Amino acid sequence: QVQLVESGGGLVQPGGSLRLSCAASGTIFSVNAMAWYRQGPGNQRELVAKIFSGGFIHYAESVKGRFAISRDSAKNTVSLQMNSLKAEDTAVYYCNVVTDYVNEYWGQGTQVTVSS
């Protein structure tokens, strides 16, 4: 089993920044990808950013140029630096990890609220 613990959410004004972090622990043989998803009020969960083991990174169009995902493979952690935050970025953000190409794990979610 793999456990994911997220941290770093909170309340921030429009234009501000936040950094989310996620640490994976447990029996981990091979991490294939680590990602951040979000689910805003009344919306479906959507992919925000994903980093693959080979280094390829994918961003949702809505966050390109503002968010940056990074990973520490040795520590099995993934972070999301969020800059120039907008009200529409308000959501619960979830960490996601895929291991051994078939196992998928989710964090408990952390609230990000962008409001003045």
Side-chain angles (χ1 to χ4, degrees):
Q1 283 292 333
V2 174
Q3 295 79 42
L4 303 180
V5 178
E6 301 145 338
S7 60
L11 173 65
V12 64
Q13 293 186 342
S17 298
L18 278 177
R19 185 177 180 86
L20 305 182
S21 296
C22 173
S25 62
T27 304
I28 302 172
F29 295 108
S30 176
V31 175
N32 308 116
M34 303 184 84
W36 288 94
Y37 287 73
R38 69 185 180 187
Q39 187 167 13
N43 296 331
Q44 292 186 333
R45 190 172 297 188
E46 63 175 357
L47 176 64
V48 176
K50 190 168 189 174
I51 182 167
F52 294 85
S53 57
F56 179 78
I57 293 175
H58 170 80
Y59 291 105
E61 285 295 325
S62 59
V63 307
K64 280 184 179 179
R66 300 188 298 121
F67 290 12
I69 189 171
S70 59
R71 173 186 171 183
D72 186 330
S73 299
K75 297 180 179 179
N76 283 326
T77 61
V78 61
S79 298
L80 185 69
Q81 178 65 42
M82 305 185 293
N83 300 322
S84 302
L85 282 160
K86 305 175 182 180
E88 50 263 43
D89 295 318
T90 294
V92 178
Y93 284 70
Y94 297 90
C95 178
N96 172 275
V97 173
V98 177
T99 68
D100 308 309
Y101 295 102
V102 296
N103 301 314
E104 188 172 27
Y105 302 93
W106 293 91
Q108 79 283 0
T110 184
Q111 177 70 46
V112 171
T113 302
V114 185
S115 175
S116 56

